[in-house]
Amino acid sequence: MKPASSQILTINGGSSSIKFALFEAGEPLRRSLDGSIDRIGLSDATFTVKGSEKFSRALAVPNHTVAVNVLMDWLEKCSDRDALTAVGHRVVHGGPKYFEPQRITPEMVEELHGLSAFDPEHMPEEILLTEAFHHRFPELPQVACFDTAFHHDMPQVARLLPIPRRYEAQGVRRYGFHGLSYAFLIGELARVGGSEAAQGRVILAHLGNGASLAAVRHGKSMDTSMSFTPTAGVPMSTRSGDLDPGLVWYLARTEKMSAKEFNEMVNFKSGLLGVSETSSDMHDLLEHETQDARAAEAVALFCYQVKKWIGAFAAALGGLDTLVFAGGIGENAPKVRARICAGLGFLGIELEEKRNAANEGVISAAAGRVTVRVIHTDEELMIARTVCRVLGITIEKQPDHEKKNMSDSEDRS
């Protein structure tokens, strides 16, 4: 049993950022601070902390190695090192082998290096972060929380890609992502809506810089919009979402575009940014859509594609009981939610305008057959809970109703 002062550090490494949070063991787990090192590799990188200590300052961090050392130096100076009990890492891709959260070992790290080809935009940096913490704090346990885990048991028909079957043996299939967010959301849905709601026909829409949807029944993933990589599905801030595969050959012939250049385009130059030609930020686009037709078209395309996926997943589920919006756009953009839901009355989706404008927890009209909710997602808290479970870190006893509502979500994290 760990002491009540035990602290869990969560790490979420991206291609140009490191986001982190610190939790103190207890019931509930208490977030003492969170922060980020953003724009790694650029001249205007920043180090920001919010919580028990607050600051934001410019940094010179040319790469993730320098950035993680800045973070570890700061942790050693400004936190109780003896209280730091474990580190939990969000790992985007575990391939076909790794999906259960587990303690990181040298053998796992070696195999994850081999899986970097599955997600070259995220995996190398995420592995680097685990290695850096091991070298600085060799006795500190680290846990990998795989973002594909929630979707691991999707039906075979949803996992299978329609390409030559030999690639499936190499691990090429639909994996899905945002699993930590979805596991948290299902747990929260059980808490606020009851177990019957969480066990029903649910569509979860995690709409942020990265955006995806998941069809869930009996608390389990039935299908999801992202696929072998996080580039697939709906258009995102800079990712294209689904495209005609023939575009690869067309651009190779007409512009001599290489596979690497195509990957760069669809991940960092497409989506809202590519269509608007001005911004990848939904707030900016909404602000300028009345003056800029490109901005208006980017917003319209995003809403239209999300609407299509809702319709498709309602068909896959055989109907719909609950629709949940989460993520930066899903939680904070009433206009976007309204446009997505417009015309979906035939599915039983009807919004109440004032509730939606106020970002209330339930935004559906009383007459609507489908309950539409806005739920704040918390991947960092999900990671911290998972670390406690994997390492057997005991926290104070939960009230029975909270324990029941959280158990399904934590078991799938």
Side-chain angles (χ1 to χ4, degrees):
M1 179 184 293
K2 299 293 182 182
S5 60
S6 295
Q7 294 182 338
I8 311 298
L9 176 69
T10 66
I11 299 289
N12 186 343
S15 58
S16 61
S17 67
I18 302 173
K19 301 185 187 303
F20 60 91
L22 196 63
F23 292 85
E24 295 182 7
E27 178 51 42
L29 284 165
R30 188 179 72 84
R31 187 193 307 258
S32 57
L33 61 83
D34 59 13
S36 63
I37 300 177
D38 296 301
R39 301 181 67 79
I40 295 170
L42 300 178
S43 60
D44 57 346
T46 57
F47 184 18
T48 303
V49 171
K50 299 176 183 178
S52 53
E53 182 177 350
K54 296 181 180 180
F55 65 83
S56 181
R57 58 174 179 253
L59 282 181
V61 282
N63 53 50
H64 280 71
T65 299
V66 174
V68 71
N69 278 291
V70 168
L71 174 57
M72 292 187 297
D73 289 344
W74 179 80
L75 285 168
E76 286 191 307
K77 293 177 182 177
C78 302
S79 65
D80 185 352
R81 172 63 188 86
D82 293 334
L84 187 57
T85 305
V87 182
H89 294 265
R90 172 181 173 263
V91 179
V92 169
H93 218 306
K97 179 175 180 179
Y98 290 107
F99 51 91
E100 289 291 339
Q102 55 193 279
R103 186 164 176 168
I104 297 173
T105 65
E107 293 76 20
M108 176 195 290
V109 171
E110 184 176 350
E111 293 198 33
L112 291 179
H113 275 294
L115 291 171
S116 289
F118 281 63
D119 190 349
E121 275 72 48
H122 298 93
M123 290 292 287
E125 286 78 14
E126 291 173 352
I127 295 168
L128 182 153
L129 295 176
T130 69
E131 292 177 323
F133 271 90
H134 176 71
H135 290 148
R136 180 76 70 94
F137 311 116
E139 302 304 318
L140 189 64
Q142 299 187 75
V143 174
C145 302
F146 296 99
D147 214 23
T148 52
F150 184 76
H151 308 292
H152 177 73
D153 294 323
M154 284 193 305
Q156 172 69 355
V157 69
R159 295 201 308 265
L160 193 62
L161 295 178
I163 58 177
R165 186 173 284 274
R166 67 180 181 273
Y167 293 108
E168 185 185 16
Q170 300 174 24
V172 179
R173 63 173 177 82
R174 184 184 295 275
Y175 284 92
F177 301 90
H178 288 141
L180 291 166
S181 174
Y182 291 139
F184 180 85
L185 291 171
I186 283 295
E188 280 296 284
L189 179 58
R191 185 180 69 83
V192 300
S195 60
E196 184 176 350
Q199 292 295 310
R201 299 167 298 182
V202 181
I203 294 176
L204 304 173
H206 178 112
L207 308 180
N209 287 328
S212 71
L213 293 89
V216 180
R217 192 165 193 176
H218 304 306
K220 297 181 179 181
S221 179
M222 297 290 103
D223 204 345
T224 188
S225 58
M226 286 179 169
S227 186
F228 178 68
T229 75
T231 313
V234 300
M236 302 168 229
S237 291
T238 63
R239 296 178 190 151
S240 63
D242 287 349
L243 291 175
D244 179 352
L247 189 59
V248 178
W249 176 228
Y250 170 78
L251 293 175
R253 286 182 291 116
T254 59
E255 297 191 7
K256 307 300 181 187
M257 184 179 288
S258 68
K260 183 178 180 180
E261 290 169 333
F262 184 84
N263 184 66
E264 177 82 11
M265 181 187 76
V266 298
N267 277 290
F268 303 107
K269 300 176 182 179
S270 298
L272 297 178
L273 177 63
V275 175
S276 71
E277 298 184 310
T278 56
S279 177
S280 62
D281 187 275
M282 179 62 77
H283 176 79
D284 291 344
L285 297 177
L286 287 169
E287 193 172 277
H288 294 100
E289 65 176 339
T290 56
Q291 296 86 31
D292 188 339
R294 298 167 303 168
E297 287 184 347
V299 176
L301 178 61
F302 178 85
C303 295
Y304 175 69
Q305 292 294 334
V306 174
K307 186 198 299 274
K308 281 172 57 177
W309 279 96
I310 291 173
F313 282 167
L317 292 169
L320 183 60
D321 303 309
T322 304
L323 170 63
V324 176
F325 287 101
I329 297 172
E331 296 169 27
N332 301 299
K335 287 183 180 179
V336 172
R337 293 194 301 259
R339 294 176 194 181
I340 289 170
C341 293
L344 294 180
F346 71 98
L347 290 177
I349 296 174
E350 297 180 30
L351 297 191
E352 204 289 312
E353 185 177 348
K354 291 183 179 179
R355 290 178 181 173
N356 182 47
N359 291 320
E360 292 188 10
V362 176
I363 60 173
S364 48
R369 299 191 308 275
V370 174
T371 302
V372 184
R373 293 182 179 271
V374 177
I375 299 179
H376 172 65
T377 194
D378 196 334
E379 293 168 306
E380 290 77 19
L381 178 55
M382 196 70 215
I383 294 171
R385 288 174 177 170
T386 303
V387 169
C388 290
R389 178 168 59 84
V390 170
L391 298 180
I393 297 173
T394 304
I395 59 178
E396 293 178 18
K397 187 177 184 297
Q398 306 165 23
D400 289 341
H401 71 281
E402 290 188 7
K403 183 175 182 180
K404 180 177 185 298
N405 287 335
M406 286 166 48
S407 60
D408 288 343
S409 173
E410 292 180 351
D411 287 342
R412 285 189 306 274
S413 55

